[in-house]
Amino acid sequence: LTLPNSSCIYPTGLGIRPRIDFRSALIAYAASDPQTYMPYVQNIRTFVYFYEEVNIKPQDGFATCENNIKSPDDLDLVCKFYPLDLGVCVKENNYGYDRSQPCVILKINNVYGWLPDIKNSSMTSNPLVRCHGQNPQDLENFGTVRYFPNVTIDGVTYGYFSNLYFPYLVQVAYRSPLVAVQFENPKRHVLLMVRCELHNLQRPGAPVDFELLVD
């Protein structure tokens, strides 16, 4: 594979799951009613299955990626991403939807040849992500927000996408790294306007906005 000049390539920003209707960014359900939350759970399960089906393949043909080191460092070989890295946001927990602690799954949209243009490599070599309210009053209704995987820098916790997974060059069995965001105790019966943005990039691309309503 030949690596293109990534200095001219801009990221398209973040993608999100669940997304059961691409005309709407609303996630609304009642934790006591499986009929309202199982479509979201199933949407995430289907998405994560594409990772699970790759991970059961023999390690031959994949790089070993541990402790922020890729071996061998070959563009043709990709890292596996394991859903266990998403912490408590796993199918065994219904991604938190049945206990009013919903998770969303974020990914950086695939752009051929893009490499993270890290803004401050002394802070971390990885793209970071953090979610906040679209409006100032939203923050007080968020409760605790957790990220998996995560890193704490100067007292602030972020999710992070390992740079070992980039660039995307249409490699066989390529899967983007993921970050799970869990809203641990969002205020019930209140519509939360959420924005998740990339950090530590010179050109972070578009944020992802969505609404969350837990009844």
Side-chain angles (χ1 to χ4, degrees):
L1 294 175
T2 301
L3 182 62
N5 182 1
S6 64
S7 64
C8 301
I9 302 171
Y10 288 78
T12 58
L14 290 166
I16 186 173
R17 294 293 188 280
R19 199 71 181 264
I20 59 177
D21 182 351
F22 282 87
R23 297 168 299 178
S24 171
L26 174 64
I27 300 171
Y29 73 97
S32 60
D33 185 356
Q35 287 190 328
T36 64
Y37 67 72
M38 282 308 296
Y40 299 110
V41 172
Q42 189 57 50
N43 185 265
I44 299 176
R45 281 183 180 174
T46 300
F47 177 65
V48 172
Y49 172 75
F50 288 106
Y51 289 76
E52 295 172 339
E53 69 173 357
V54 163
N55 291 343
I56 62 176
K57 294 182 178 181
Q59 185 61 30
D60 294 348
F62 291 88
T64 299
C65 304
E66 297 176 345
N67 302 318
N68 210 33
I69 297 173
K70 178 182 177 183
S71 178
D73 190 9
D74 184 335
L75 291 176
D76 288 293
L77 301 179
V78 297
C79 304
K80 291 181 177 180
F81 184 90
Y82 294 95
L84 286 177
D85 290 340
L86 301 179
V88 298
C89 296
V90 292
K91 62 184 179 182
E92 291 80 6
N93 295 337
N94 280 330
Y95 305 101
Y97 281 78
D98 58 348
R99 58 198 73 185
S100 302
Q101 298 178 329
C103 299
V104 299
I105 310 298
L106 303 178
K107 66 183 287 289
I108 296 177
N109 293 325
N110 292 340
V111 178
Y112 183 86
W114 179 75
L115 283 169
D117 50 338
I118 297 299
K119 189 174 184 178
N120 186 352
S121 59
S122 64
M123 182 168 68
T124 178
S125 60
N126 300 314
L128 304 175
V129 66
R130 190 166 168 82
C131 301
H132 58 86
Q134 295 183 37
N135 304 300
Q137 62 270 27
D138 288 319
L139 184 60
E140 63 188 53
N141 297 322
F142 267 33
T144 302
V145 181
R146 303 173 70 193
Y147 303 90
F148 307 94
N150 63 72
V151 61
T152 300
I153 300 171
D154 295 332
V156 179
T157 300
Y158 301 86
Y160 72 88
F161 300 95
S162 172
N163 66 359
L164 300 181
Y165 292 83
F166 304 103
Y168 165 66
L169 298 171
V170 202
Q171 301 98 320
V172 174
Y174 179 87
R175 297 293 185 269
S176 302
L178 305 176
V179 169
V181 183
Q182 183 188 42
F183 296 84
E184 197 170 49
N185 50 345
K187 190 168 183 178
R188 304 281 290 275
H189 317 300
V190 173
L191 183 67
L192 305 181
M193 309 287 286
V194 186
R195 169 166 289 180
C196 299
E197 296 181 299
L198 289 167
H199 294 264
N200 200 35
L201 295 175
Q202 298 285 354
R203 296 167 295 181
V208 63
D209 295 337
F210 63 97
E211 296 85 43
L212 177 64
L213 176 62
V214 181
D215 285 330

